Amino acid sequence: GTLVPQPGEGINEDATHNIFIEGDNLEVLKLLQKSYAGRVKMIYIDPPYNTGNDFVYPDDYSEPLEAYLQRTGQVDDVGQKLTTNTRTSGRFHSNWLNMMYPRLLLARQLLREDGAIFVSIDDTEIHNLRQLMNEVFGEENFIDNIIWKKRYGGGAKEKFLVTLHEYILFYAKDAESFDHLYVPLSEESIKRYYKSKDTNFDVRGHYRTHPLEATKSMGDRPNLVFPITAPDGTKILPERQWLWSQERVADALKNNEIEFIKGNDGNLKVHSKQYLRDRNGKTREAKAFSIIDDVYSQHGTNEILDLFEDAQVFSFPKPTGLITQLLQLITDEQSEDIVLDFFAGSGSTAHALLRINREDVGNRRFILVQLPEPTINGKYSTISEICRERIRRVIEKLRDEKVGKLDFQPNEDLGYRSFTLEHSNYKDWQPYTDSEPRQLETLFDRFETPLVEGWQPQNLLSEILLLQGFPLDSRIVPLGEIESNAVQRVHAEGVAHELFVCLDEKIGDETIGQLHLRAEDIFVCLDSALSDEAKIRLADRCNLKVI
């Protein structure tokens, strides 16, 4: 297969780095390997939970997706899926795990060494998925099992207990490359705890206090027992020992970072000041909890209702607030981190990423993959159509919010490119099983040209990009100064060399003379477009590859 661009389906397509792909995610993940291996900072997926009603089909690597789905009776002649993974199948868990395993294996190859993956799941497969991810990512790279409290209460229809939570399995590509994980303080905690002001306020903001006296859980440290002099001259000794060394206390006193508070017994107690910002003015962050209990599934439904004015467009979407907390934990607003979601659903991940980029002036980028799975919704025929429409509406809303305001983010990426999974532009090689030499000759005759009949230059160019390891957001510039042939120059961030492509039937000597190529650059063209002499000339100047 290949990924074919859909001009006009996206927004700001020539400048954006965001990507939406319609197609089976297993096939798409294979196609992304060369261009995106080791480049993705974070993966978030919300796969089917294997409730018995989900579409979970076996993958067959020896034939195209359409062929084996039709052969196994899982789709009808127009591609509608027919089967679900029922609990009575006898391979209920195996079918689901066999579906997940190759996708996770391919996904791991796309992660950066300091990257991470989050997988939403419920009780049906949490234990099996944990073992599967231990195998794929390594048990040593398990970070945590995040508990998400997804609703307030209710549960009148529950047979046994009222289930209030789901899980998010959190694995690193390499836990050793992880630094400490912090998230921004919430506005609620800032207002609640950081209330006091002093002479450091202009730089460091409000502060809160903590006792400087060490608790019993801390081992004995005789060097932490010393007197601290209060402003009235009183020398205060700890009941046991201080948390800080004498040198650190002296520095804190010098910078007005210690407060003396009268206790219930009338004696002065030593407290350290914890400011909202450090001495350089950087706002304090906090450790994240393994329980998320401040965002609920109803919030996700409300977001669909707000965008589409119809909550029935998509059932049970993940709320953006949930995904935002994961983005804050792993991604850096100052970096151009790539976030991948290959079970995109309604597009909550793209929504969350676009919104958080607006809030912290970030440059994160998304790649979303969604199967064109049919819906029962009358307005939108497939889930991928809903996803594209949601991204459009979110971008439109963010643009409207900018109108009439100062633009603090002129380079904000409010756009996306759309691609669809299609058959390759190259002919499929059919294995030769006959013993008749003439049949073999006929087979070779079919491959006099390796391209399928009716191939389109734009679609082939997109496939060449993937084959040569160039990402889908590469910049493609026609070389207008060359009039004798249509030559495209391809440039991508993070790729040291450039790609030049000419798909004309014939390439003249004049064109070759005008090409400014370096030894590391790649030039791709049709084999039949060059004379033998021209091939030698180009091969001496660059990395020549012919079709």
Side-chain angles (χ1 to χ4, degrees):
T2 186
L3 300 179
V4 173
Q6 297 178 293
E9 288 287 344
I11 296 173
N12 194 24
E13 295 168 326
D14 292 335
T16 186
H17 294 283
N18 298 318
I19 304 294
F20 173 82
I21 304 169
E22 179 182 271
D24 172 67
N25 54 19
L26 179 64
E27 303 299 321
V28 172
L29 288 170
K30 293 176 190 176
L31 292 171
L32 296 180
Q33 290 299 304
K34 195 165 187 179
S35 299
Y36 289 94
R39 295 192 59 208
V40 175
K41 181 62 183 290
M42 170 181 153
I43 297 173
Y44 170 76
I45 55 172
D46 181 21
Y49 280 8
N50 204 19
T51 61
N53 298 316
D54 300 313
F55 294 116
V56 177
Y57 49 80
D59 299 304
D60 186 329
Y61 309 105
S62 66
E63 58 184 342
L65 175 67
E66 296 170 358
Y68 78 75
L69 287 181
Q70 290 180 0
R71 177 178 57 76
T72 55
Q74 298 174 75
V75 296
D76 58 22
D77 54 1
V78 294
Q80 299 281 340
K81 287 188 174 181
L82 301 176
T83 62
T84 56
N85 188 37
T86 62
R87 290 182 179 271
T88 57
S89 69
R91 293 180 57 83
F92 178 68
H93 296 291
S94 296
N95 287 341
W96 188 85
L97 290 168
N98 285 336
M99 183 273 293
M100 289 296 295
Y101 179 76
R103 288 162 174 82
L104 291 173
L105 203 63
L106 290 166
R108 184 185 181 278
Q109 307 309 316
L110 300 178
L111 280 175
R112 287 168 30 175
E113 288 304 305
D114 62 347
I117 183 171
F118 298 90
V119 184
S120 284
I121 198 66
D122 71 355
D123 277 302
T124 308
E125 296 293 355
I126 175 66
H127 303 293
N128 294 323
L129 180 61
R130 175 79 180 268
Q131 296 305 315
L132 183 65
M133 295 187 71
N134 281 346
E135 180 175 331
V136 174
F137 292 91
E139 192 170 357
E140 70 278 8
N141 292 316
F142 170 74
I143 302 297
D144 215 322
N145 181 14
I146 300 171
I147 309 298
W148 173 43
K149 184 182 177 184
K150 64 179 181 179
R151 57 181 178 175
Y152 309 94
K157 297 180 180 178
E158 301 277 3
K159 185 176 180 181
F160 300 112
L161 301 182
V162 179
T163 301
L164 298 179
H165 68 281
E166 291 180 6
Y167 309 93
I168 304 173
L169 286 178
F170 176 13
Y171 279 76
K173 172 78 173 285
D174 178 10
E176 292 296 320
S177 68
F178 258 38
D179 203 350
H180 292 283
L181 298 176
Y182 293 96
V183 293
L185 291 169
S186 67
E187 289 297 324
E188 181 185 351
S189 64
I190 291 173
K191 291 178 182 178
R192 182 177 179 182
Y193 298 112
Y194 294 85
K195 298 179 179 179
S196 303
K197 293 173 65 173
D198 64 7
T199 55
N200 294 323
F201 177 77
D202 289 343
V203 174
R204 308 198 64 180
H206 292 89
Y207 70 90
R208 61 188 294 189
T209 62
H210 296 284
L212 196 61
E213 178 84 33
T215 62
K216 293 181 179 179
S217 61
M218 186 175 176
D220 289 336
R221 299 271 297 279
N223 62 314
L224 297 182
V225 179
F226 55 87
I228 296 177
T229 305
D232 63 359
T234 304
K235 294 187 180 299
I236 305 171
L237 281 167
E239 292 183 11
R240 191 165 168 272
Q241 63 188 29
W242 303 118
L243 286 169
W244 291 356
S245 68
Q246 197 160 357
E247 293 77 11
R248 188 174 178 187
V249 168
D251 180 69
L253 286 169
K254 177 183 175 183
N255 289 284
N256 192 23
E257 295 172 350
I258 284 180
E259 187 166 302
F260 297 87
I261 301 174
K262 189 170 288 188
N264 294 330
D265 58 1
N267 296 322
L268 288 176
K269 306 291 183 183
V270 184
H271 286 244
S272 62
K273 296 179 182 179
Q274 184 186 80
Y275 292 89
L276 183 59
R277 296 189 292 269
D278 64 19
R279 291 181 183 179
N280 296 317
K282 183 181 178 182
T283 302
R284 174 180 293 277
E285 294 181 312
K287 284 285 187 181
F289 295 147
S290 64
I291 298 177
I292 298 175
D293 59 358
D294 58 352
V295 57
Y296 303 96
S297 57
Q298 185 59 45
H299 294 153
T301 301
N302 292 341
E303 287 167 344
I304 291 291
L305 183 61
D306 179 54
L307 288 171
F308 292 90
E309 300 180 350
D310 180 4
Q312 303 305 314
V313 166
F314 192 89
S315 300
F316 306 113
K318 286 295 184 288
T320 59
L322 177 69
I323 301 170
T324 296
Q325 293 191 38
L326 306 181
L327 289 168
Q328 289 175 330
L329 193 62
I330 293 299
T331 63
D332 180 0
E333 70 273 12
Q334 300 304 318
S335 301
E336 295 167 344
D337 288 340
I338 298 174
V339 178
L340 170 65
D341 182 350
F342 51 89
F343 283 99
S346 71
S348 295
T349 298
H351 189 166
L353 183 142
L354 291 167
R355 175 57 68 181
I356 193 177
N357 275 351
R358 167 64 60 85
E359 292 172 357
D360 62 14
V361 196
N363 294 306
R364 304 169 189 85
R365 305 165 177 184
F366 67 74
I367 301 175
L368 263 57
V369 185
Q370 177 56 46
L371 189 74
E373 188 175 315
T375 70
I376 58 173
N377 185 291
K379 193 170 183 181
Y380 302 100
S381 59
T382 65
I383 293 177
S384 54
E385 190 179 342
I386 294 172
C387 189
R388 267 195 302 260
E389 182 61 23
R390 180 176 186 176
I391 300 171
R392 290 192 198 103
R393 294 187 181 215
V394 170
I395 289 173
E396 183 179 341
K397 191 170 185 178
L398 289 170
R399 284 177 172 174
D400 289 343
E401 290 176 5
K402 267 191 170 184
V403 176
K405 297 181 180 178
L406 291 174
D407 190 357
F408 295 105
Q409 197 174 1
N411 297 319
E412 184 179 17
D413 189 349
L414 292 178
Y416 75 98
R417 295 187 189 186
S418 184
F419 294 81
T420 183
L421 177 66
E422 298 288 353
H423 290 288
S424 171
N425 294 281
Y426 294 86
K427 292 176 181 175
D428 288 331
W429 174 260
Q430 300 299 323
Y432 175 69
T433 57
D434 206 323
S435 58
E436 177 61 45
R438 275 193 180 180
Q439 295 298 327
L440 185 59
E441 290 176 13
T442 304
L443 194 60
F444 277 115
D445 287 342
R446 284 187 59 245
F447 282 82
E448 186 175 347
T449 171
L451 300 175
V452 297
E453 188 176 345
W455 62 272
Q456 297 296 316
Q458 185 62 31
N459 296 349
L460 180 56
L461 176 61
S462 178
E463 186 165 3
I464 290 170
L465 259 62
L466 290 170
L467 291 171
Q468 300 304 324
F470 279 71
L472 294 169
D473 62 344
S474 299
R475 294 289 173 260
I476 302 171
V477 181
L479 297 183
E481 65 272 20
I482 299 178
E483 298 179 355
S484 50
N485 285 107
V487 182
Q488 311 263 32
R489 173 178 166 268
V490 183
H491 171 77
E493 297 173 5
V495 181
H497 58 276
E498 292 186 326
L499 173 66
F500 294 82
V501 181
C502 180
L503 300 175
D504 291 352
E505 290 186 5
K506 291 296 177 183
I507 299 176
D509 291 340
E510 182 182 352
T511 297
I512 295 173
Q514 290 180 286
L515 288 170
H516 299 290
L517 300 167
R518 301 170 299 174
E520 64 269 24
D521 291 336
I522 298 173
F523 184 81
V524 178
C525 66
L526 303 178
D527 182 62
S528 57
L530 294 174
S531 65
D532 290 341
E533 182 183 349
K535 288 178 187 175
I536 294 171
R537 288 176 61 192
L538 278 170
D540 282 342
R541 295 169 54 191
C542 68
N543 187 358
L544 174 64
K545 298 191 177 183
V546 295
I547 301 170

